[in-house]
Amino acid sequence: MTSGKLVLKNMLRRRGRFVFTLLGIVIGMASFVTFMSLGGSLKSQIERESAALGANLVVTPKGSCAYEQVSILTGEQMPTNINAEEVAAIRAIEGMTAIPYLAERSAIENRPVSVMGVLPEETRRFKNWQLAAGEYFPTEAAEGAVLGAVLAEQFGLQPGSDVRIRGEQIPVLGVLAETGGKDDLTVFLSLPVAQRLYGQAGLVSYVAVRVERLDEVELYANRIRDAVALGVVSDKQMRNSVLSIVGTVNVTLQLIAAVAILAAAFGIVNTMMTATYERRREIGILQAMGATRAGIFRLFLLESGVYGLLGGIGGAALGGLAAVLATPYIGQNAATSFVKGSQSSIDPLTFCGAVLFSTLVAMAAGLYPAVKASKLSPVEAISYE
């Protein structure tokens, strides 16, 4: 009988123990892979949103606190206390383009959506939007809404439909071409209309700034600070700050998953130690037939590795599926809404890495039982009752 057949026979001898040991590995690895997949999705989405913002500098109401930076990238509601005079002072600085935004929230069919008040033509040029259907705002204060592509598809809206914002029926003028960012999940109103609906006359949430000379970003940041008593943060600072927050959360979640993997490893140790004592006579017979201590060691180590291999494959597949299924349900706040509209999936490299990691952990867990089994003397093993 070959080593492979012998290992399979021994594993299936106690099927209940085999199943529960395997489930421990699968659950631990699934947790680990799920968090890795979601963390990768969050990071890539942050990078896309930062690029889609199209700004080198962002002026915030209360300074560069992390909550406001997350809110800007996700389109969440923010404190709205940049007034018209401050906006005018910022836009008066030469050598840069400054676009104000009013970020608010609403609900369609009891599901939360982002609402953004914009200066139609300036914002369209700033973000290089293309129209997929209908028409764009005909005037700077037009009564109507332009929708992101994903949002329009989710709610079955099209030009000519109506959306209810703050108790008013707003006609849908058009639908933007897909951008791959949070704009796809946003309702856009002209800034005057948004300010009227939300009672924010003369106020905006933040101002996005694009400078003409990238080597003078810090110079323009200082000019803005001299002109207004507001916070100014560069796109790189904002991205790094948000990535730091997401990274900390992701590491914490992965550590929790690592505890589950560690528990599964001890399950393997327990299973293999039990198998060592139960199979003493078998070990003695193998030794009597010419099996060496190294051969016994390899046999037990191979059995541990098979547990890890099967658990890794099952855990990686389950974790990838869980990440995909979880994506639509975790974008309900500023900390996680980066994943809205993104496609969480497990890439082949992550899958292979998870399987390899699981196999190595399982083999490490099986080292001690394998050593114990290999050290049994033939007489002791074959005389065991």
Side-chain angles (χ1 to χ4, degrees), residues 63-255:
S64 303
C65 76
Y67 171 75
E68 288 170 350
Q69 295 172 29
V70 172
S71 298
I72 288 169
L73 289 184
T74 59
E76 297 296 308
Q77 188 171 355
M78 291 178 59
T80 50
N81 59 356
I82 299 181
N83 59 46
E85 290 75 19
E86 291 168 326
V87 172
I90 295 169
R91 287 163 65 87
I93 300 173
E94 295 183 357
M96 66 183 202
T97 303
I99 306 294
Y101 296 90
L102 177 63
E104 296 288 351
R105 299 286 282 171
S106 186
I108 299 176
E109 298 177 4
N110 295 320
R111 292 164 61 184
V113 297
S114 298
V115 177
M116 190 74 71
V118 299
L119 296 177
E121 287 305 320
E122 290 186 54
T123 306
R124 186 179 189 178
R125 290 194 299 269
F126 193 80
K127 293 203 170 192
N128 195 29
W129 281 338
Q130 303 297 320
L131 212 60
E135 62 176 6
Y136 196 63
F137 298 102
T139 66
E140 291 297 294
E143 293 281 346
V146 173
L147 309 182
V150 175
L151 183 141
E153 182 179 353
Q154 284 179 348
F155 295 102
L157 298 171
Q158 55 188 345
S161 304
D162 289 328
V163 290
R164 191 173 184 83
I165 305 292
R166 302 283 286 186
E168 288 192 22
Q169 292 294 117
I170 307 295
V172 176
L173 301 175
V175 177
L176 295 176
E178 193 164 342
T179 65
K182 74 175 188 301
D183 290 350
D184 293 335
L185 292 134
T186 304
V187 176
F188 294 97
L189 305 173
S190 65
L191 185 57
V193 170
Q195 289 172 329
R196 175 179 62 80
L197 289 175
Y198 286 90
Q200 302 290 347
L203 299 177
V204 299
S205 301
Y206 64 94
V207 181
V209 176
R210 183 185 297 159
V211 301
E212 294 179 1
R213 292 176 58 89
L214 292 178
D215 58 341
E216 296 182 348
V217 168
E218 192 57 38
L219 173 63
Y220 282 102
N222 290 329
R223 288 181 180 176
I224 294 171
R225 294 188 185 101
D226 291 338
V228 292
L230 297 170
V232 184
V233 61
S234 72
D235 59 333
K236 292 181 180 179
Q237 290 171 330
M238 182 165 62
R239 183 173 62 251
N240 291 340
S241 177
V242 178
L243 282 173
S244 176
I245 296 170
V246 171
T248 301
V249 174
N250 197 41
V251 168
T252 303
L253 294 176
Q254 288 182 13
L255 286 174

Side-chain angles (χ1 to χ4, degrees), residues 20-36:
F20 285 112
T21 302
L22 194 62
L23 278 176
I25 307 170
V26 168
I27 292 171
M29 287 307 302
S31 303
F32 190 72
V33 169
T34 298
F35 295 140
M36 282 186 63

Side-chain angles (χ1 to χ4, degrees), residues 24-25 28-29 32 254 256-266 357-358 361:
I25 307 170
M29 287 307 302
F32 190 72
Q254 288 182 13
I256 295 171
V259 173
I261 296 173
L262 185 62
F266 280 108
F357 176 64
S358 175
V361 169

